[in-house]
Amino acid sequence: MFGTILISVYTAMHLYISWRVFTLPTVKRYVSRKIFISLSMMLWGFFFIGRHIGHGGSGMPAHILEFLGMNWMAILFLMFFSLLAVDFMTLYGFLFPRLSVLLRGGAVLLGLMLSMIAFVQGNRAPVIGEYDVNISELPDALDGTVIVALSDLHLGSQLGGKWMSARVAQVKALNPDLILLLGDIFEGHGPPEPDVISAFKGLSAPLGIWAVFGNHEFHGGGHGHIRIFNSLNIDLLRNRWVEVAPGLVLAGVDDLTNRHRNGLRGGVINKTLSGVPAGPIILLSHTPWEVEAAAQFGVDLILSGHTHGGQIWPFDYLVRYRYPFFEGRYAVGGTTVVVSRGAGTWGPRMRLWQPGEIVRVVLRSNNE
């Protein structure tokens, strides 16, 4: 269903842009209709081939096809909104007909320029999001505990071992006491390359490495990812809790969007936290949903990802509508919620005004 919707939206944007670009006098003067239609169909095919052959394939040819297809989708997206804005302002040339032609050409150039900026930003190292979180019942011995959380790495054909090794170096420089993986660590289409697995072996922390499943971990049933996490000595929190240190409970739930798709709505937070001892609770949930239920249970800190911060502006406005807890820090009663923009990218290697992020949380006791 998601693939069908994605291809339908992509096709609609492609047709709209082709129509509007061909109305530009320069294009009509130098490019025949047949050549323009042929080029348009070829560009449309980049995405289709990239998604259906490159995304599920392996080897360099498949990786290149996926790279071209997904990045062309993002370029189309940015050109579409640039052209749409101009067309709305000029009522499709009814207002200021001569000026509207110049504005339409400028919109195409703006879309291309934004695409270049987004590509540069998408290939930069993630920034470090710093948060101090006060927890009233935190034992004095845990005051100053450093948590480093990684979300939405999407390791696969586009982000591999070299990229992950650089992220491991970033994490180690933060001197974590506890490392948390918040889901969508792997893209999920085929097993990770050996160099990706090797890069993970550089991670370590005194209180361990703990992970929850994101929606991408369920691709293929999730069994392969369980084996991968086990081989790396990464402990999975699948709707369960554990006391990682005296006086500190860490809990995790499977991705809530996947549960909803399978008709499992509500109740998972209470079931997961059943029987927890008194004291601070940190909850890992890939998708920032059911926050109110966790707050009512007395969870002190929720760590989530999934939203990517919208990844590419202005797509973030649509994402905000679906995910009110969008990115950054929120307070719900006595519960602190931190939603990461994610360290990697899904689809295109692009981010526009929404840089990738590694989250560093320092736990503070309110005790004097």
Side-chain angles (χ1 to χ4, degrees):
M1 179 62 72
F2 174 76
T4 301
I5 293 172
L6 185 64
I7 291 172
S8 298
V9 171
Y10 167 82
T11 301
M13 288 194 303
H14 194 94
L15 289 171
Y16 184 87
I17 291 168
S18 297
W19 166 47
R20 302 311 287 157
V21 168
F22 196 69
T23 63
L24 296 174
T26 302
V27 175
K28 294 180 74 172
R29 184 180 301 120
Y30 294 105
V31 183
S32 70
R33 183 181 295 273
K34 288 184 178 179
I35 292 176
F36 184 85
I37 292 174
S38 298
L39 288 172
S40 180
M41 292 180 64
M42 183 181 70
L43 289 172
W44 178 86
F46 272 160
F47 172 77
F48 189 82
I49 294 171
R51 177 167 177 81
H52 287 275
I53 298 179
H55 198 47
S58 60
M60 187 57 66
H63 296 176
I64 292 173
L65 285 172
E66 183 181 9
F67 176 84
L68 291 173
M70 299 307 287
N71 281 283
W72 176 241
M73 178 185 68
I75 294 168
L76 268 185
F77 175 78
L78 290 168
M79 284 200 298
F80 172 77
F81 277 98
S82 298
L83 281 166
L84 192 64
V86 167
D87 284 338
F88 275 8
M89 287 189 297
T90 63
L91 296 181
Y92 289 83
F94 181 77
L95 298 177
F96 318 110
R98 293 184 180 179
L99 179 60
S100 68
V101 174
L102 293 175
L103 290 175
R104 197 153 58 247
V108 173
L109 294 175
L110 176 63
L112 294 173
M113 183 179 69
L114 289 174
S115 298
M116 288 189 289
I117 295 171
F119 184 76
V120 171
Q121 291 183 342
N123 282 271
R124 285 179 174 171
V127 300
I128 307 301
E130 300 269 4
Y131 301 91
D132 277 19
V133 176
N134 293 321
I135 298 178
S136 59
E137 297 181 8
L138 186 73
D140 290 341
L142 296 177
D143 185 61
T145 296
V146 176
I147 297 173
V148 174
L150 292 163
S151 180
D152 300 279
L153 297 171
H154 289 278
L155 296 166
S157 62
Q158 301 300 302
L159 297 171
K162 183 178 179 181
W163 186 86
M164 185 59 200
S165 294
R167 305 293 74 78
V168 169
Q170 278 187 284
V171 170
K172 291 171 70 174
L174 299 175
N175 298 314
D177 298 300
L178 180 63
I179 296 175
L180 306 176
L181 305 178
L182 304 179
D184 281 8
I185 303 306
F186 302 105
E187 181 61 16
H189 296 275
E193 298 290 337
D195 59 344
V196 171
I197 302 300
S198 297
F200 267 97
K201 295 177 181 179
L203 291 176
S204 64
L207 298 180
I209 307 173
W210 301 83
V212 291
F213 268 11
N215 50 298
H216 278 252
E217 270 76 41
F218 284 98
H219 291 177
H223 306 296
H225 292 116
I226 293 174
R227 290 192 293 270
I228 292 169
F229 284 126
N230 288 340
S231 71
L232 293 169
N233 294 318
I234 296 172
D235 293 296
L236 272 172
L237 293 171
R238 301 199 63 190
N239 305 325
R240 69 183 183 95
W241 61 267
V242 65
E243 194 170 22
V244 291
L248 181 62
V249 167
L250 186 66
V253 294
D254 282 352
D255 175 60
L256 297 176
T257 61
N258 186 73
R259 289 181 57 83
H260 285 200
R261 278 192 293 271
N262 288 291
L264 303 172
R265 295 176 178 270
V268 66
I269 301 296
N270 288 346
K271 290 179 182 178
T272 297
L273 297 175
S274 177
V276 296
I281 303 171
I282 298 174
L283 175 67
L284 313 183
S285 175
H286 175 66
T287 301
W289 282 349
E290 301 189 24
V291 169
E292 291 80 6
Q296 290 176 5
F297 201 96
V299 170
D300 296 276
L301 172 63
I302 301 173
L303 294 172
S304 296
H306 186 64
T307 69
H308 290 227
Q311 190 166 318
I312 297 176
W313 176 90
F315 188 66
D316 51 312
Y317 291 108
L318 297 175
V319 180
R320 284 177 193 272
Y321 178 78
R322 177 99 170 133
Y323 302 99
F325 298 95
F326 177 64
E327 61 97 8
R329 181 176 189 148
Y330 302 86
V332 180
T335 301
T336 298
V337 183
V338 175
V339 182
S340 171
R341 291 188 300 271
T345 55
W346 176 85
R349 286 296 307 276
M350 292 183 182
R351 281 183 172 270
L352 188 59
W353 322 134
Q354 299 291 348
E357 178 184 43
I358 294 172
V359 168
R360 181 179 184 267
V361 175
V362 180
L363 301 183
R364 300 294 185 187
S365 172
N366 287 333
N367 299 329
E368 299 293 336

